[in-house]
Amino acid sequence: MRTGSLLLTSQYPADTWHGFFPDPTVADAVLDRVVHQAHRVQLKGESMRKIRGRAALNPG
């Protein structure tokens, strides 16, 4: 029975996560548990930080 939630955010695409682990077996085990029954939300476009930074530099 699942009774908790996990929210995980990353600036890296999920298909590159495996390479961050030194041991492929550990990577498989951890990532299988993290992504099992996961709902993935992948955002597209430029970051709001960049957009707001440009707007602050160029008001008008």
Side-chain angles (χ1 to χ4, degrees):
M1 176 187 285
R2 300 192 188 284
T3 59
S5 299
L6 173 67
L7 177 65
L8 182 69
T9 64
S10 176
Q11 66 185 24
Y12 300 104
D15 58 345
T16 64
W17 292 356
H18 199 274
F20 292 114
F21 291 87
D23 182 350
T25 304
V26 172
D28 288 340
V30 171
L31 295 175
D32 282 347
R33 284 161 181 80
V34 169
V35 301
H36 180 70
Q37 294 185 344
H39 296 279
R40 291 177 54 186
V41 177
Q42 194 164 356
L43 303 177
K44 296 179 182 178
E46 199 166 20
S47 77
M48 291 303 295
R49 187 179 301 165
K50 286 182 182 179
I51 293 169
R52 289 182 179 155
R54 274 198 307 267
L57 291 174
N58 301 316

